[in-house]
Amino acid sequence: MLTLYDYLPSQNAYKVRLLLSHLQLPYRTEIISIFEGEGQRPEYLAINPTGAVPAIRLEDGRVLAESAAILVFLAEGTPYLPDDRFARAKVLQWLSFEGDYVQSTIGTLRHWTMTGKLARRPAALVEAKRKGSLKTLAILDRELSQRTWLAGPAYGIADIAVFAYVHRAEEADLPLSDHPHVTAWIDRVRSQPRFLAETFPYSIDPHSVNELP
C-alpha cells in the first residue's frame, strides 16, 4: 500500500490527500512533526532531502517527494492529467505558477498569520508578501474569467495544486470576495466528486509557533 508522509496542517500535503480522495486510492499515513525536527532525521532526509512534506513511498519501496511531482505521478493515466503533449505542458505551466507565485506569497503569508510569526517578520517583507498575494489573485481572477479550469477544458491537478492555498487565502486576511472568478472556481472545485473538505489548522500543533529547524 502507498505510504503518505504527511503533516496535517500542510496544504502541500493536502493537495496529495485531495487527489488520492478523487482517485479513491488506499494509502497509509505517517505523520512527520516538522516543527519538532522530525523532517531532519537522517531516515526521513533519505526520503525527502529537504525534510519537508509531502512525500510518498510506493509498495516497491521507491520514494518520491515534492507535491507537484507526486501529483503528476499519481495522476498519470487518469482524467486528472491529459495525454496530449501540449495540454500536459499547460498543466506543468500552472504547477510552476503555483510553486513560484502562490506558495511564496499566499502560502507564506497564511503560515505567518496562522502561527503568530507576522510580528517576527520585517514590516516591509510582510507588505511585499501581501502585494505579491494580491497580484497572484488578480492574475488568477483574470485567467479564470476566460475559462472554467486553469489548464484546459477539464478539472485536473493544475486546479488541485493552485486550489490548496488559494481557497485558504482569507486565513491570511486576503480578500477573496474581491475576486469573483476565483471564488466561483473555488466553488466548482468543491463540487467535484469525492472532494476532500477536511483541512487542519496549525493550532492542532503547539510546536507550529516555532521556526522550522
Side-chain angles (χ1 to χ4, degrees), residues 18-19 21-24 80 155 188-196:
L18 176 54
L19 180 58
S21 180
H22 285 317
L23 296 174
Q24 294 185 292
Y80 299 96
Y155 171 72
R188 291 194 292 274
V189 174
R190 286 176 169 152
S191 72
Q192 294 304 298
R194 298 178 295 278
F195 173 75
L196 182 64

Side-chain angles (χ1 to χ4, degrees), residues 114-212:
M114 296 187 74
T115 58
K117 297 185 175 99
L118 278 179
R120 306 181 211 166
R121 304 295 188 256
L125 179 59
V126 173
E127 181 59 23
K129 293 295 184 184
R130 181 170 178 80
K131 287 182 178 178
S133 298
L134 294 174
K135 179 180 179 180
T136 297
L137 289 173
I139 292 169
L140 286 170
D141 204 61
R142 184 178 67 240
E143 292 295 308
L144 288 164
S145 72
Q146 303 171 43
R147 56 191 177 279
T148 303
W149 304 111
L150 284 172
Y155 171 72
I157 60 171
D159 301 286
I160 290 171
V162 175
F163 173 84
Y165 281 106
V166 168
H167 88 290
R168 313 304 301 182
E170 290 179 335
E171 294 171 335
D173 296 322
L174 296 167
L176 272 180
S177 60
D178 290 350
H179 305 88
H181 301 292
V182 172
T183 56
W185 166 76
I186 288 171
D187 289 340
R188 291 194 292 274
V189 174
R190 286 176 169 152
S191 72
Q192 294 304 298
R194 298 178 295 278
F195 173 75
L196 182 64
E198 186 176 32
T199 60
F200 299 87
Y202 282 102
S203 59
I204 68 170
D205 176 15
H207 303 282
S208 66
V209 298
N210 301 325
E211 301 292 343
L212 283 168

